[in-house]
């Protein structure tokens, strides 16, 4: 009975527009108020333009601390110097948590045209923490981390618009409410099965995307807030295909050629179907766990670089395309030319618990260090004065 009532309400919902906090209705066409020109897009597996004219967009994404070692030995050698079919540099998205991140290297990524997003301050390992945190706590986690990145990596806060919650643990409307309150534009925490290849959409209306990994679906309307779905990869095991949402959990072994071939097969699954944007989660531990993965990934990128209809872009560029879906013949990689500077400084700081943390950051004035290690509720690391 409840399903029938929701569907009936959804039918009448096509005649009205919604405000944030209201129960989201099912998006049944025609929906006169859900128009792209109004920054509203319903959940769909169909490209907004003819499939054969749709550019195949791929976003490489990273959700871990940016260290000097990772930047120097993995990300820079693998990513820098590569170009898309239009001759512009490729891009990717780094969702940066706070602890152990080297903000000089975060700035270097930004200066090289990569998107910087937020992955919280604490990056708490407990799924229960993210499943039960209040809106206020989540705002402190995500908006606070944007403050930290902006201040210590000298990146304009308005350029930090994307968010991914640790372990992809969405808490339904609570998470989205926090993202909206913090002023973020899109989330990329919501995984989808390999058979459900959704294009980016907004949460004005109820999403059709299944909630997985023990997460909770948002059911309220959040007008104009975008979802960049993570479409699962596939791997063959025990005579069957299973889904996996990041390269570490796919456990694909083999020679570098075999790993590259598997990655290319994953791209072809979408490229030959509906060409929905593909998000690859690339953890650094994959390169440590799987032999030949580094050279296999490099070969994969080399081959992608020869395809004239495939673009390696960041997730903001994907959402921007969804807002203005131009055909392949007109698609151009957005090129940014950041003008911020970084004068690196390393500080020996202490946490509230008295533990030592080294913070490498960009400074505007030589020799500056925060009073204490920046953390939840104190993103600038200032000594808290008693009232």
């Amino acid at each position: 009975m409840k399903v029938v009532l929701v569907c009936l309400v959804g039918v009448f919902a096509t005649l009205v527009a919604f405000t944030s906090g209201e129960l989201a209705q099912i998006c049944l066409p025609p929906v006169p108020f859900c128009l792209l020109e109004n920054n509203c897009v319903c959940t769909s597996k169909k490209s907004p333009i003819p499939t054969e004219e749709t550019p195949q967009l791929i976003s490489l994404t990273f959700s871990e601390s940016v260290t000097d070692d990772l930047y120097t030995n993995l990300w820079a050698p693998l990513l820098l110097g590569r170009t898309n079919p239009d001759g512009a540099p490729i891009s990717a998205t780094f969702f940066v948590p706070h602890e152990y991140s080297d903000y000089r290297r975060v700035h270097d990524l930004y200066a090289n045209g990569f998107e910087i997003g937020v992955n919280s301050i604490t990056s708490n390992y407990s799924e229960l923490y993210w499943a039960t945190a209040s809106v206020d706590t989540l705002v402190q986690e995500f908006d606070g981390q944007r403050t930290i990145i902006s201040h210590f990596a000298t990146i304009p806060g308005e350029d930090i618009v994307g968010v991914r919650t640790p372990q992809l643990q969405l808490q339904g409307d609570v998470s989205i409410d926090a993202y909206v309150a913090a002023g973020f534009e899109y989330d990329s925490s919501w995984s989808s099965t390999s058979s459900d290849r959704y294009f980016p959409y907004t949460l004005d209306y109820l999403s059709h995307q299944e909630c997985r990994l023990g997460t909770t679906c948002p059911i309220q309307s959040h007008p104009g807030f975008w979802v960049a779905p993570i479409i699962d990869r596939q791997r063959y095991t025990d005579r069957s295909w299973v889904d996996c949402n990041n390269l570490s959990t796919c456990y694909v072994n083999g020679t570098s050629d075999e790993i590259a071939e598997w990655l290319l097969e994953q791209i072809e699954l979408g490229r030959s179907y509906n060409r929905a944007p593909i998000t690859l989660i690339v953890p650094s531990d994959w390169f440590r766990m799987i032999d030949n993965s580094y050279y296999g990934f490099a070969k994969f990128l080399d081959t992608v670089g020869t395809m004239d209809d495939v673009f390696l872009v960041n997730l903001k560029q994907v959402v921007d395309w969804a807002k203005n879906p131009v055909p392949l013949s007109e698609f151009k990689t957005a090129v940014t030319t950041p003008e911020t500077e970084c004068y690196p400084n390393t500080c020996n700081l202490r946490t509230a618990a008295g533990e030592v943390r080294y913070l490498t950051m960009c400074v505007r004035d030589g020799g500056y260090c925060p009073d204490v290690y920046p953390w939840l509720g104190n993103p600038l690391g200032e000594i808290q004065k008693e009232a």
Side-chain angles (χ1 to χ4, degrees):
M1 177 62 72
K2 289 184 178 180
V3 174
V4 173
L5 289 175
V6 170
C7 290
L8 288 174
V9 172
V11 171
F12 294 111
T14 63
L15 302 177
V16 296
F18 299 103
T19 57
S20 182
E22 294 182 0
L23 188 66
Q25 307 301 332
I26 296 174
C27 192
L28 296 175
V31 185
F33 287 100
C34 193
L35 302 173
L36 186 56
E37 60 201 59
N38 297 330
N39 198 34
C40 178
V41 175
C42 291
T43 318
S44 178
K45 301 176 189 177
K46 183 179 179 181
S47 175
I49 60 177
T51 301
E52 65 274 12
E53 297 179 13
T54 302
Q56 180 61 68
L57 304 181
I58 302 174
S59 295
L60 308 178
T61 65
F62 310 85
S63 311
E64 60 188 301
S65 300
V66 176
T67 65
D68 180 63
D69 175 61
L70 289 179
Y71 178 88
T72 302
N73 297 312
L74 278 181
W75 312 144
L78 279 171
L79 303 178
L80 295 183
R82 297 184 182 276
T83 57
N84 279 321
D86 58 0
I90 69 167
S91 190
T93 298
F94 289 79
F95 294 103
V96 180
H98 172 51
E99 197 165 21
Y100 306 114
S101 279
D102 182 330
Y103 290 99
R104 166 195 52 178
R105 292 310 191 190
V106 175
H107 178 276
D108 288 343
L109 289 167
Y110 173 76
N112 279 292
F114 298 105
E115 180 191 14
I116 303 301
V118 164
N119 189 243
S120 83
I121 290 179
T122 67
S123 196
N124 195 301
Y125 291 110
S126 168
E127 293 181 2
L128 183 63
Y129 175 84
W130 301 107
T132 60
S134 67
V135 170
D136 288 343
T137 295
L138 294 179
V139 169
Q140 289 187 59
E141 285 277 10
F142 297 110
D143 193 37
Q145 178 58 0
R146 177 166 52 193
T147 297
I148 289 173
I149 293 171
S150 178
H151 187 76
F152 295 109
T154 61
I155 297 173
E158 59 268 23
D159 287 353
I160 305 171
V161 299
V163 59
R164 174 176 289 165
T165 196
Q167 305 168 57
L168 308 183
Q169 286 295 311
L170 272 179
Q171 195 195 153
D173 293 299
V174 175
S175 295
I176 306 301
D177 283 341
Y179 297 159
V180 172
F184 289 103
E185 179 181 327
Y186 75 85
D187 168 75
S188 181
S189 308
W190 201 338
S191 68
S192 180
T193 64
S194 57
S195 59
D196 289 330
R197 296 181 175 271
Y198 292 109
F199 283 79
Y201 60 90
T202 65
L203 288 176
D204 296 64
Y205 286 81
L206 196 64
S207 171
H208 299 169
Q209 190 173 343
E210 178 188 1
C211 275
R212 308 168 70 226
L213 306 174
T215 60
T216 305
C217 283
I219 60 173
Q220 295 177 352
S221 177
H222 304 275
F225 187 82
W226 286 82
V227 172
I230 303 167
I231 301 171
D232 278 1
R233 311 275 63 79
Q234 290 183 326
R235 65 185 178 94
Y236 189 74
T237 179
D238 297 329
R239 300 180 182 179
S240 64
W241 289 96
V242 297
D243 281 4
C244 47
N245 61 38
N246 74 66
L247 298 188
S248 288
T249 60
C250 290
Y251 299 114
V252 174
N253 292 282
T255 66
S256 59
D257 287 338
E258 289 170 335
I259 290 173
E261 181 180 357
W262 171 74
L263 287 166
L264 291 167
E265 288 173 352
Q266 301 305 302
I267 302 307
E268 194 57 33
L269 286 173
R271 188 181 177 211
S272 61
Y273 177 50
N274 66 349
R275 292 183 168 244
I278 294 171
T279 297
L280 292 180
I281 302 178
V282 189
S284 64
D285 62 9
W286 181 62
F287 297 101
R288 294 189 294 268
M289 290 166 46
I290 303 298
D291 291 341
N292 305 312
S293 54
Y294 179 93
Y295 293 106
F297 195 71
K299 289 180 178 181
F300 159 70
L301 294 177
D302 290 343
T303 302
V304 167
T306 67
M307 300 176 178
D308 59 8
D309 60 342
V310 179
F311 291 75
L312 290 166
V313 296
N314 62 54
L315 283 173
K316 182 182 185 303
Q317 292 169 330
V318 169
V319 172
D320 286 345
W321 175 83
K323 293 178 179 179
N324 180 30
V326 298
L328 174 63
S329 60
E330 298 177 24
F331 183 82
K332 299 294 182 184
T333 311
V335 178
T336 58
T337 54
E339 297 181 356
T340 62
E341 295 182 311
C342 179
Y343 301 97
N345 187 40
T346 299
C347 302
N348 184 335
L349 304 172
R350 290 191 177 274
T351 67
E355 299 174 341
V356 173
R357 290 289 185 275
Y358 290 94
L359 179 67
T360 299
M361 60 185 189
C362 301
V363 295
R364 296 172 179 84
D365 302 310
Y368 162 77
C369 283
D371 299 320
V372 295
Y373 190 69
W375 201 245
L376 196 68
N378 187 14
L380 297 181
E382 299 171 325
I383 291 179
Q384 303 297 299
K385 298 180 180 178
E386 296 183 4

mmCIF file of all heavy atoms in Angstrom, residues 91 183 269 278 337:
data_model
loop_
_atom_site.group_PDB
_atom_site.id
_atom_site.type_symbol
_atom_site.label_atom_id
_atom_site.label_comp_id
_atom_site.label_asym_id
_atom_site.label_seq_id
_atom_site.Cartn_x
_atom_site.Cartn_y
_atom_site.Cartn_z
ATOM 1 N N SER A 91 42.699 15.410 -16.584
ATOM 2 C CA SER A 91 42.491 15.806 -15.196
ATOM 3 C C SER A 91 41.986 14.611 -14.404
ATOM 4 O O SER A 91 41.722 13.528 -14.958
ATOM 5 C CB SER A 91 41.523 16.989 -15.102
ATOM 6 O OG SER A 91 41.495 17.517 -13.778
ATOM 7 N N GLY A 183 27.716 24.084 1.412
ATOM 8 C CA GLY A 183 27.869 24.745 0.118
ATOM 9 C C GLY A 183 28.528 23.912 -0.957
ATOM 10 O O GLY A 183 29.020 24.468 -1.946
ATOM 11 N N LEU A 269 32.754 -1.672 -21.804
ATOM 12 C CA LEU A 269 31.409 -2.035 -21.368
ATOM 13 C C LEU A 269 30.478 -0.826 -21.388
ATOM 14 O O LEU A 269 29.311 -0.924 -21.778
ATOM 15 C CB LEU A 269 31.445 -2.642 -19.961
ATOM 16 C CG LEU A 269 31.985 -4.061 -19.830
ATOM 17 C CD1 LEU A 269 32.105 -4.442 -18.357
ATOM 18 C CD2 LEU A 269 31.081 -5.049 -20.555
ATOM 19 N N ILE A 278 32.261 7.334 -16.454
ATOM 20 C CA ILE A 278 32.851 6.254 -15.660
ATOM 21 C C ILE A 278 33.761 6.854 -14.594
ATOM 22 O O ILE A 278 34.611 7.699 -14.897
ATOM 23 C CB ILE A 278 33.654 5.298 -16.562
ATOM 24 C CG1 ILE A 278 32.706 4.571 -17.527
ATOM 25 C CG2 ILE A 278 34.459 4.307 -15.729
ATOM 26 C CD1 ILE A 278 33.415 3.770 -18.593
ATOM 27 N N THR A 337 43.956 27.633 -15.075
ATOM 28 C CA THR A 337 45.291 28.204 -14.894
ATOM 29 C C THR A 337 45.356 28.882 -13.525
ATOM 30 O O THR A 337 45.230 30.100 -13.414
ATOM 31 C CB THR A 337 45.620 29.209 -16.007
ATOM 32 O OG1 THR A 337 44.568 30.195 -16.079
ATOM 33 C CG2 THR A 337 45.735 28.511 -17.356
#
